[in-house]
Amino acid sequence: MKLSDGVEWGIHCCTVLAALPEGTALPAGRLAEFHGVPAAYLAKHLQALSRAGIVTTEPGQRGGYRLARPPAEISLWDVVAAVDGSAPAFRCTEIRRRGPAALPDRQYTRACGIARAMQRAEQAWRAELQATTLADILADLASSVPPRAVQRAGAWFMEVLR
């Protein structure tokens, strides 16, 4: 399973938006600048987050993106599904029913063990992402980001949000 860059970018952008003061928003270009990623590519992912109801846009000179719901109500799975879709990572095509050992379909009464194992793994992965919210990520931020980076980010926000 490989998630797109957009998932990482989307979660980071939502985390930044969750930390914004009430009544403020950031344009896509500023979010791209903050993360050092291409603005046009990030804008596509922000639009997907908007369609999913995770972020909303504020029009005007001081407009931009902000979260559409409180951080505790947005799971990492919400962002993953919005950016990369919710299709299962594994798709069983029942190749065991082909070739020289194949039998008529009615002989296969149970899903194959490989498909069942992949489904269990996917359910566990999705459950973990559904149980982790942006509020959880924010709560961990202070211990996972170097203090100097937090200080620099704060200075950047003060300048941008003036």
Side-chain angles (χ1 to χ4, degrees), residues 15-143:
T15 303
V16 166
L17 296 176
L20 290 179
E22 183 75 25
T24 60
L26 277 178
R30 288 295 196 176
L31 286 165
E33 175 188 342
F34 185 77
H35 294 101
V37 299
Y41 190 51
L42 179 62
K44 288 176 37 182
H45 298 302
L46 290 170
Q47 290 167 0
L49 294 171
S50 180
R51 284 190 299 273
I54 295 170
V55 299
T56 187
T57 55
E58 294 292 323
Q61 184 143 359
R62 301 189 69 82
Y65 287 93
R66 63 181 177 81
L67 290 184
R69 305 188 304 256
E73 295 178 15
I74 301 171
S75 73
L76 298 187
W77 174 251
D78 293 334
V79 177
V80 169
V83 173
D84 276 2
S86 59
F90 180 78
R91 188 174 63 93
C92 179
T93 60
E94 287 286 352
I95 64 170
R96 68 183 177 156
R97 296 182 188 195
R98 302 178 198 164
L103 297 173
D105 284 349
R106 68 180 181 282
Q107 298 293 316
Y108 297 93
T109 59
R110 218 173 152 207
C112 86
I114 295 168
R116 287 181 286 143
M118 294 295 188
Q119 288 170 348
R120 285 192 305 271
E122 177 130 359
Q123 288 168 351
W125 178 72
R126 287 182 184 215
E128 179 61 28
L129 293 176
Q130 289 165 344
T132 306
T133 68
L134 292 178
D136 298 325
I137 300 298
L138 273 177
D140 182 61
L141 204 59
S143 65

